[in-house]
Each structure stands twice: as C-alpha cells, then as structure tokens.
C-alpha cells in the first residue's frame, strides 16, 4: 500500500452494470439523504408532542442533528473509500443507516432520537462522497458529467415528493412509521447495491490512510483561493437553505395556518431548484459559470429585499410567499451548482479529498447557520427572508474578494 496510486485511473472504463441501471442506482444512493431530511418536515409537530418537546423551535433539531452528522462524517468517508474501496464503505454505511433509522423509530426520548439522527446523517454521508468517487472510477470528463446530470435529475424527484411521502406514512401510523419506512427503503437499496455493483476501485489504485498525505490535501483545499472562496460562498447560501428546511413547517402551520399545504408548497419550491439546474445545464457552456452564478446571487439578493418589503408593508400572502420563495430557490440552485464547479477548478489532483473538505465545510457550518435562522422564527417569515438576504450579501462579498473584483465575467 502506497501514499499514491502506482497506476493512473483507466480512461472511462464504463460502468460494470448497464448504463440505465447504473444511473438509477447512483440516484437511489444519493436520494437516501434527501429522504432522511425532507420526509421529516410534516412529522415535526407529532414528534414534539410524543417526546414532550414543548418549544416548537426545538423540534427543528431533528433536521439540524442529521445535517451535522452528514457534514462532519464526509471528512472520514473520503479516505476510507480510497483505502478500502467504494463497495465496502457504501455497504457498511447503508447498514449503519438502516440501524440508525431503526433506532430513531424506537427512541423513547428526544435526546436519543437526536443521537440516532446524528448517526444516521454520518452513515449516509458516504452516499455523497463514495458515490461520486464510484462514478469517477467508471467515467470521466463529459461522460461523468452526463451520468451525474441524469442522476441528479432523477434524484431531484425525492425533495419534491419527500414531504408528501412523510404525510402519506403518517396516515398509516405515528411518526415512527416514517423512520421504519426509510430503514426499509435503505435496506432495499443496500440489497440492490450489494447484489449488482462490484468494486470499481482497482487494488493498485488504493491509498493508505496516511495522516500526512490527508493533511496536505486538506491544506491544499483550504489554501486555494477559488476553492476556499467559493466553498465559503456556498456555505452562506447553504445556511439559508437549511434555515428554510428548519422553518418552512412552522411558517405553513403558524404564519399562514395552512399546514396541509406544506407538501405542495415545498414541492413547488424544490421543483424550481430542479428547473434551475436543468436550465443551467443548457446555458452554462455558452454563458459560463461565473456570469450565471454571479447574476443568480444578485437576483437572490434583490428578490429577498423585495420579499422583505412585501412582508413589512403588510402584503404578504401564501401566494406571495410561494412565488417569491420559489424564485429565490431557483437563484440558489443556479448559484450553488456553479459555485461547486468553480471550487473544484484547481482540485483535479485531489478531487476526493477536496470534495470531502468542501462538503464538510458547506454542510456542517451551513447547518449551524440554518439552525440560527430556524431558532429565530417568531411567527413570521421575516427571519427566514432576512437570512436569505444576509446570506446572499455575504456570498456576493466573498465572490467579489475571490474574483478580485472581476465579477459578472464569462468563464
């Protein structure tokens, strides 16, 4: 075992299973994390009532605990997948995810539930890190981009439908049924993956877990101007997104008094993100990542300012919230998808390590920001909208510094 691979990766060997099945399996792996987050939203009041959580804002920690585990564990999954292979790490992670959801389903206290959620997030984090590495083992360049784009379009169905899935599960029982259902779906994906997907990392390309090499990769990631700048800009925007995840159930129930419309409103705003990503795939080659993302952040700031003005002048309605928040989320999608690409521009030699560090930063610290936004909920959408406005301003400031003032340029 060496610190670096003795042979270069083969040029696009292709998936070891059929292309369609491969893409669907990748999408299913990616979707498990989104299902673990978004399907919880309709159940938060029931969880709070069952486990004696009287503070409605404290119920948001069901989301935050999962996100923290999901973010922190990415630092571990990258080196583990490079050392032991993608298959072994993903199988162990999926087993852990099934167990964590089963423990959440039987938790007798809010503390135990949060502990299970942290463990579940930590386990399923492998589906972000190791799955991308698995795709890279099989494809590179435009072929990899094609696989990931198709998989992402399939994956985006989950955030759209997950709250409705949670509501549907509540029809058949208490909130614990949702966790059992997630455990069951994870077990199905585990069986599919274990039976059909062989190891894609050749033995000669495996890397020893060498602290020095890992530390150098971390330092290279955080010392590169584009990597650091765009990762921090993504972190600010992710904080606003997680604030939305934490707040939207209470906004629908308490601000507008329409809890039954949560799944519909959430699906609509999630769909705008999916459409924005599809649009980005069609125009990015012509306009460039910088022009699109810088323009999207600017539009996000303007939309958030307009939304605040609507609320402060007493004109906020459910329709206004849905339309303005949906447009804001579309801008978020355009910005973050391109920020991620630009953060990786100089990271080709350490893509796995860089991806894990950037994911750790944006998700872990973004979840903390999102928790602060969520805990500021006061019965109105003002903290959430202000959170998007401030996040947009911070992100634009970071972009301005990163690009040394040369914003809105093609490239």
């Amino acid at each position: 075992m060496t610190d670096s691979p003795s042979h270069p990766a083969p040029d696009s060997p292709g998936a070891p299973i059929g292309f369609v099945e491969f893409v669907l399996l990748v999408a299913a792996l990616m979707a498990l994390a989104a299902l673990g987050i978004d399907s919880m939203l309709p159940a938060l009041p029931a969880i709070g009532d069952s486990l004696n959580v009287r503070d409605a804002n404290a119920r948001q920690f069901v989301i935050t605990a999962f996100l923290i585990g999901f973010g922190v564990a990415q630092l571990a999954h990258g080196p583990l997948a490079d050392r032991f292979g993608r298959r072994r790490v993903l199988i162990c992670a999926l087993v852990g995810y099934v167990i964590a959801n089963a423990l959440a389903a039987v938790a007798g206290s809010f503390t135990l539930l949060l502990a299970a959620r942290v463990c579940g997030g930590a386990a399923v984090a492998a589906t972000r890190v190791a799955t991308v590495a698995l795709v890279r083992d099989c494809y590179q360049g435009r072929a990899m981009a094609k696989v990931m784009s198709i998989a992402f379009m399939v994956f985006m169905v989950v955030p759209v439908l997950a709250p409705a899935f949670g509501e549907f599960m509540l029809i058949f029982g208490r909130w614990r049924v949702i966790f059992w259902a997630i455990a069951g779906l994870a077990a199905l994906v585990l069986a599919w993956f274990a039976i059909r997907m062989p190891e894609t990392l050749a033995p000669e390309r495996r890397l020893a877990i060498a602290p020095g090499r890992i530390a150098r990769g971390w330092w290279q990631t955080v010392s590169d101007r584009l990597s650091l700048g765009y990762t921090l800009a993504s972190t600010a925007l992710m904080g606003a997104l997680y604030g939305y995840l934490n707040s939207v159930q209470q906004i629908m129930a308490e601000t507008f008094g329409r809890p039954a419309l949560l799944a519909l409103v959430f699906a609509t705003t999630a769909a705008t993100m999916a459409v924005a990503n599809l649009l980005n795939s069609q125009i990015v080659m012509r306009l460039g990542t910088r022009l699109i993302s810088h323009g999207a952040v600017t539009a996000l700031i303007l939309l958030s300012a307009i939304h605040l003005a609507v609320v402060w002048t007493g004109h906020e309605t459910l329709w206004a919230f849905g339309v303005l928040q949906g447009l804001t989320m579309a801008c978020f999608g355009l910005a973050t998808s391109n920020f991620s690409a630009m953060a990786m521009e100089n990271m080709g030699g350490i893509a796995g390590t860089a991806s894990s560090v950037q994911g750790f930063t944006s998700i872990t610290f973004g979840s903390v920001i999102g928790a602060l936004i969520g805990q500021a909920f006061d019965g109105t959408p003002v903290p959430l909208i202000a959170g998007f406005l401030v996040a947009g301003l911070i992100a634009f400031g970071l972009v301005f510094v990163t690009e040394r003032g040369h914003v809105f340029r093609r490239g």
Side-chain angles (χ1 to χ4, degrees):
M1 202 68 60
T2 61
D3 282 358
S4 59
S6 57
H7 301 282
D11 292 334
S12 299
I17 58 177
F19 181 80
V20 173
E21 183 183 4
F22 181 75
V23 171
L24 290 175
L25 181 54
V26 168
L29 289 166
M30 294 169 57
L32 288 175
L35 187 64
I37 299 171
D38 301 336
S39 62
M40 294 298 107
L41 298 178
L44 293 181
I47 292 173
D49 292 342
S50 175
L51 300 180
N52 299 314
V53 183
R54 303 305 178 193
D55 183 357
N57 285 2
R59 300 168 186 171
Q60 300 172 10
F61 292 133
V62 173
I63 306 297
T64 301
F66 185 94
L67 291 171
I68 289 176
F70 187 71
V72 172
Q74 294 194 40
L75 289 176
H77 287 304
L80 289 173
D82 286 340
R83 168 62 180 86
F84 298 106
R86 324 311 188 194
R87 175 180 164 85
R88 189 181 303 178
V89 168
L90 280 168
I91 288 176
C92 290
L94 290 173
V95 169
Y97 193 49
V98 171
I99 294 172
N101 278 285
L103 291 175
V106 299
S109 71
F110 194 57
T111 300
L112 291 178
L113 174 64
L114 295 183
R117 290 287 285 168
V118 171
C119 293
V124 82
T127 62
R128 182 189 187 275
V129 178
T131 300
V132 173
L134 182 149
V135 175
R136 179 60 186 85
D137 291 341
C138 302
Y139 299 96
Q140 67 176 356
R142 294 183 180 180
M144 179 180 178
K146 178 181 178 181
V147 172
M148 293 305 295
S149 295
I150 298 173
F152 187 77
M153 282 188 282
V154 177
F155 155 77
M156 279 305 297
V157 174
V158 175
V160 172
L161 299 180
F165 169 81
E167 290 185 349
F168 182 72
M169 288 296 102
L170 288 175
I171 295 174
F172 296 97
R174 302 169 63 194
W175 56 269
R176 300 178 188 277
V177 176
I178 298 177
F179 288 106
W180 284 121
I182 295 174
L185 290 172
L188 289 176
V189 175
L190 167 62
W192 182 12
F193 180 85
I195 293 170
R196 296 290 296 155
M197 180 60 66
E199 180 56 62
T200 58
L201 181 66
E204 66 271 15
R205 292 177 52 223
R206 300 194 179 191
L207 304 176
I209 299 179
R213 176 180 56 80
I214 295 172
R216 287 192 297 273
W218 290 355
W219 173 248
Q220 183 178 339
T221 303
V222 300
S223 61
D224 179 82
R225 178 170 53 87
L226 290 179
S227 174
L228 179 62
Y230 279 108
T231 296
L232 292 178
S234 294
T235 301
L237 295 182
M238 291 298 286
L241 172 68
Y242 294 148
Y244 175 72
L245 294 178
N246 283 324
S247 305
V248 64
Q249 186 276 324
Q250 289 170 267
I251 288 174
M252 293 304 301
E254 299 179 28
T255 304
F256 298 114
R258 304 295 296 274
L261 294 180
L262 169 63
L264 177 61
V265 171
F266 190 88
T268 301
T269 54
T272 62
M273 291 176 58
V275 171
N277 278 282
L278 179 61
L279 173 64
N280 185 67
S281 69
Q282 301 299 312
I283 65 176
V284 68
M285 296 300 292
R286 184 171 70 254
L287 299 180
T289 55
R290 285 169 172 80
L291 182 59
I292 294 173
S293 62
H294 300 172
V297 172
T298 303
L300 183 147
I301 293 170
L302 293 174
L303 284 166
S304 298
I306 292 170
H307 201 170
L308 270 181
V310 168
V311 176
W312 283 340
T313 56
H315 293 90
E316 177 77 322
T317 64
L318 181 56
W319 276 101
F321 177 83
V323 170
L324 288 171
Q325 192 62 42
L327 292 173
T328 301
M329 300 297 276
C331 293
F332 167 89
L334 284 173
T336 53
S337 60
N338 289 294
F339 281 1
S340 297
M342 288 183 286
M344 290 293 291
E345 277 189 14
N346 300 328
M347 299 290 106
I350 55 165
T353 298
S355 176
S356 63
V357 173
Q358 291 168 3
F360 159 76
T361 303
S362 61
I363 295 173
T364 304
F365 293 102
S367 66
V368 173
I369 295 170
L372 294 175
I373 294 173
Q375 292 302 301
F377 178 74
D378 58 0
T380 76
V382 169
L384 173 62
I385 302 167
F388 268 97
L389 177 59
V390 173
L393 290 169
I394 292 174
F396 190 85
L398 288 164
V399 167
F400 190 86
V401 172
T402 300
E403 295 290 351
R404 295 169 176 163
H406 301 295
V407 293
F408 302 111
R409 59 188 175 91
R410 291 178 181 265

